[in-house]
Amino acid sequence: MDSGSTTPFTGSSTPTDTPADTPTETDTPPPRSSEVIHFTPRRAMASFENLVALANHQERLREARKIIWRDRGEPVAEVSTLRACLEHAATGGFRSGTLAASIRACINLVLVLLRIHKVPRDIRLPVIRHAVFGLDTVRFGLMLGTFTSIYKFLLNSLPLLIPALNLPTPKRLPLLSVGESSETPFLTDSEEQGQGPTAERPTTMLRVPLKKRSARLSLSTNAQQVLVRKKTRRWHAALAGAIAGGLAILWEKRGRRGVIAQQLFVRGLQGSYNAYTTKRNIHVPHGDVLVFSLACGQILYAFLLRPDTLPRSYTTWIGEAAKVPKECVKMNLSLVRQGTFDPGDLDKITAFPDITSTNLTDLLTLRSKLLAPPSPTDPLEYFPNYAPCSAVHPALTHCSSVPLDRFFAVFKWMLPIYGALHFVPAVVFKRKAFTQDPGKVLVKAGLGSLRSSAFLGVFVVIYQTMYCYKHKLHKYLTLLRLSKSQNLLSRLPVPLVEALISKVSFWVPGFMAGLSLFVEEKRRRGELAMYVLPKGLESVWVMLRGKGWVFRTGNWGGSALTALGMAMVMSAYQNDPQHLSGFVRRILYQFIGPN
């Protein structure tokens, strides 16, 4: 071994080869702590790098989620130039358009997959492709994208274009004490009315009514509890909403414009009514049930006597829910309006395999009376000017058996539909609560499904029960009067007895059936009222137009109604959002944001 070599594993020289003047191992001073190199284990380094990558991934997911879904408390976008307004409107419109198209595509895809088994195999792929990328999806995205971009541009540019009517500059309001202040983009009620703090009335001395006080929260906590909006002049939001809504609806098909316009109009009416009654301290007990009943009275009157005033798909759905033969509805319309009916409709009912013998005899007797009218001098002959009970429920002989049968038939028919409406949102949109306590969520959704199905079952029972027994009562009183009986009921005025089969008598059962809404959960009553109100208003409008009492709207009726509805909706959204329903507020916040 050469001189100066070291032994393996020790790194020290052999004693025989060490010169005398070379310090030995024992003479070498120990290394200082600052000179020692510490090596981190590879496993610890890998764990640290994984944590960093996970944190970066979570941050990217949060940023991507903000693009798709807007969190509560998003700050108001400050735009001070027209160019900034245009950029803000363009980005917001693009986001809303893509989000709307994606939602519409997902809904179409789910609906197609539910009935894909009925579609031939060779066209299934084109049907799915059309559901996702079809013209309806594109139209819906363009409509909401156009509305958002136009609305955002007008709302933020109007204060710049008309500076004379600009809002006053927000004051610096103290948060904790005088000298500690923070600028806010919102105005207090006093500042909105031009009554800002003065020397005589300093901000620190403002008295807040007890009922308006709330707990003091941190800025971050408060931001998570509210959906922030930019408070503007009411006419700014109304004008921007009217112009944007009237133009954006033109992307939709002409046949769908009316449906969308009606829903937007009643939402605007809801916000305006709530604001008016709140300002004047007016309270109508169970107003949602009252609106629902009024609308149902008109809808069921139109279903039986003016089906031309309702969409055909809607009348078809009502007929299926009522479990009444469509031939019976035609017979009733002809008998009430003309005093006669088509024997072919009666023949179709008598051909039903489940018709009872008693009902069959009654209908055949009615047919013979139609073909050979009885003598007017015969006091005991009664010819109904309405569809008889034997045609309404041919499978049931007695009217007393109808309520229970109809309730369970409607309940079983609606349970899958309401089950999907209750279970899907509970599992999809409340994932956190579902994962924490799935049993509670499922039980609540199940009870809600049973309650909603029972609501519609009670609705049908009330209407058909009143229909049957008001006609039974009319027949009894009429025969009593014609038989010259000494019974006191035979002396009732004829107009009072005939009122039981008048046209108004078909409206009253519909109104009473609306009281079944009390069976439904309270928080859902308002939404159901807003669902049926447009159909009732449409029917009334068509009837009034037929009498010449209102004007015709032509091809621009849907656009004009949308403009009016969105003017009311957006004015309330920017200034009094609490007067809109929670569903509308959340939808608008996701597509519009604060401003």
Side-chain angles (χ1 to χ4, degrees):
M1 182 178 293
D2 296 336
S3 176
S5 63
T6 59
T7 59
F9 311 110
T10 62
S12 60
S13 304
T14 57
T16 55
D17 298 330
T18 303
D21 56 349
T22 301
T24 61
E25 181 179 359
T26 58
D27 298 331
T28 304
R32 289 174 295 180
S33 59
S34 60
E35 297 176 352
V36 177
I37 300 177
H38 297 277
F39 293 95
T40 305
R42 292 184 178 181
R43 184 173 300 175
M45 285 296 296
S47 300
F48 177 75
E49 292 174 356
N50 290 338
L51 289 175
V52 173
L54 180 62
N56 293 335
H57 178 66
Q58 295 288 347
E59 184 65 24
R60 286 192 293 268
L61 285 179
R62 283 192 293 269
E63 294 298 328
R65 183 178 179 273
K66 289 181 180 179
I67 298 177
I68 301 174
W69 197 255
R70 202 186 305 272
D71 290 330
R72 292 186 176 186
E74 180 176 307
V76 176
E78 298 294 339
V79 287
S80 57
T81 62
L82 290 179
R83 180 182 179 86
C85 292
L86 186 61
E87 293 176 353
H88 179 62
T91 54
F94 180 77
R95 177 189 177 277
S96 295
T98 53
L99 179 61
S102 301
I103 294 175
R104 181 62 181 270
C106 291
I107 294 175
N108 290 346
L109 182 61
V110 171
L111 295 177
V112 167
L113 293 179
L114 289 177
R115 59 175 186 268
I116 195 67
H117 62 280
K118 300 180 181 179
V119 180
R121 289 181 176 273
D122 55 338
I123 62 173
R124 287 182 179 180
L125 185 59
V127 168
I128 295 176
R129 184 170 59 248
H130 180 268
V132 178
F133 304 105
L135 189 58
D136 291 340
T137 302
V138 176
R139 286 179 180 273
F140 191 72
L142 289 174
M143 180 184 67
L144 283 178
T146 301
F147 173 81
T148 302
S149 57
I150 296 177
Y151 176 77
K152 282 177 171 287
F153 178 76
L154 293 177
L155 181 71
N156 294 284
S157 62
L158 281 175
L160 303 177
L161 297 174
I162 312 177
L165 299 179
N166 205 356
L167 284 172
T169 304
K171 305 293 183 181
R172 296 177 64 88
L173 302 179
L175 294 176
L176 299 176
S177 61
V178 178
E180 297 182 18
S181 60
S182 175
E183 294 188 0
T184 172
F186 306 102
L187 301 177
T188 61
D189 293 337
S190 59
E191 289 175 323
E192 185 184 11
Q193 300 171 2
Q195 301 174 359
T198 61
E200 293 77 10
R201 297 185 299 101
T203 303
T204 55
M205 297 300 292
L206 288 177
R207 296 182 180 272
V208 181
L210 183 61
K211 63 180 181 179
K212 293 186 178 180
R213 295 178 183 176
S214 58
R216 293 184 178 182
L217 303 174
S218 65
L219 293 179
S220 59
T221 305
N222 190 47
Q224 293 299 321
Q225 289 193 351
V226 298
L227 301 178
V228 180
R229 296 164 190 83
K230 181 179 180 180
K231 198 167 186 179
T232 63
R233 294 287 186 183
R234 288 188 178 274
W235 74 270
H236 284 182
L239 179 62
I243 296 176
L247 294 177
I249 194 67
L250 297 178
W251 285 110
E252 276 290 351
K253 296 179 180 178
R254 185 170 298 175
R256 286 186 50 80
R257 293 176 193 173
V259 178
I260 298 175
Q262 292 168 9
Q263 283 293 331
L264 297 176
F265 179 70
V266 297
R267 295 296 179 176
L269 284 181
Q270 181 186 27
S272 301
Y273 171 80
N274 290 338
Y276 179 84
T277 54
T278 302
K279 183 177 180 180
R280 287 161 177 78
N281 198 24
I282 300 174
H283 175 65
V284 180
H286 305 295
D288 46 8
V289 179
L290 178 60
V291 171
F292 183 81
S293 298
L294 291 171
C296 288
Q298 177 59 35
I299 290 173
L300 291 179
Y301 172 86
F303 170 70
L304 291 176
L305 301 183
R306 288 298 304 272
D308 57 301
T309 63
L310 292 175
R312 182 175 300 178
S313 59
Y314 199 62
T315 57
T316 302
W317 184 88
I318 295 176
E320 293 179 359
K323 308 302 178 184
V324 175
K326 59 181 180 180
E327 294 81 10
C328 173
V329 179
K330 295 180 181 179
M331 285 178 58
N332 184 79
L333 177 61
S334 300
L335 284 167
V336 174
R337 296 229 170 248
Q338 304 169 8
T340 184
F341 63 90
D342 183 6
D345 293 330
L346 189 143
D347 294 338
K348 292 179 180 178
I349 298 177
T350 56
F352 287 173
D354 57 348
I355 188 172
T356 64
S357 58
T358 304
N359 289 337
L360 179 61
T361 302
D362 185 68
L363 292 178
L364 292 177
T365 302
L366 179 64
R367 190 178 192 279
S368 63
K369 290 181 180 180
L370 176 68
L371 299 178
S375 173
T377 60
D378 190 350
L380 298 181
E381 287 293 339
Y382 179 82
F383 186 82
N385 290 326
Y386 51 83
C389 296
S390 53
V392 176
H393 46 83
L396 298 172
T397 301
H398 302 289
C399 296
S400 57
S401 305
V402 173
L404 195 62
D405 177 82
R406 288 291 189 265
F407 177 82
F408 283 106
V410 176
F411 182 89
K412 184 174 65 175
W413 178 63
M414 287 301 301
L415 187 59
I417 300 174
Y418 276 122
L421 293 177
H422 282 273
F423 278 96
V424 173
V427 175
V428 175
F429 298 110
K430 297 180 180 179
R431 293 190 299 270
K432 185 176 180 180
F434 180 72
T435 53
Q436 291 178 350
D437 193 351
K440 181 180 178 180
V441 174
L442 294 178
V443 168
K444 185 177 180 181
L447 293 177
S449 304
L450 297 176
R451 194 170 182 176
S452 297
S453 302
F455 143 70
L456 196 61
V458 173
F459 183 95
V460 175
V461 166
I462 292 175
Y463 191 90
Q464 293 201 15
T465 301
M466 292 190 66
Y467 180 94
C468 287
Y469 283 96
K470 79 182 183 71
H471 292 155
K472 280 182 171 294
L473 181 60
H474 177 267
K475 181 179 180 179
Y476 172 75
L477 294 176
T478 302
L479 293 177
L480 198 65
R481 186 184 76 251
L482 295 176
S483 63
K484 309 296 183 180
S485 174
Q486 298 301 319
N487 194 316
L488 291 177
L489 294 178
S490 64
R491 302 177 184 179
L492 289 176
V494 176
L496 181 61
V497 176
E498 294 301 315
L500 293 172
I501 61 171
S502 64
K503 294 179 181 178
V504 179
S505 69
F506 292 93
W507 187 92
V508 175
F511 177 85
M512 299 303 295
L515 299 179
S516 63
L517 191 63
F518 282 113
V519 178
E520 185 57 274
E521 191 176 357
K522 184 175 179 58
R523 65 181 181 85
R524 285 178 49 83
R525 295 174 188 172
E527 291 299 322
L528 289 172
M530 291 299 102
Y531 173 74
V532 300
L533 182 58
K535 304 301 181 184
L537 293 178
E538 180 185 10
S539 176
V540 171
W541 180 270
V542 175
M543 291 173 59
L544 295 177
R545 188 178 62 190
K547 295 180 179 294
W549 293 357
V550 296
F551 57 89
R552 293 183 177 272
T553 56
N555 296 332
W556 301 99
S559 182
L561 189 62
T562 303
L564 180 59
M566 291 311 298
M568 294 186 290
V569 169
M570 301 314 298
S571 176
Y573 173 75
Q574 294 293 160
N575 297 277
D576 301 303
Q578 70 276 10
H579 297 316
L580 297 173
S581 67
F583 174 76
V584 175
R585 289 198 306 268
R586 289 189 291 269
I587 291 297
L588 288 176
Y589 184 76
Q590 290 303 322
F591 285 97
I592 305 298
N595 61 332

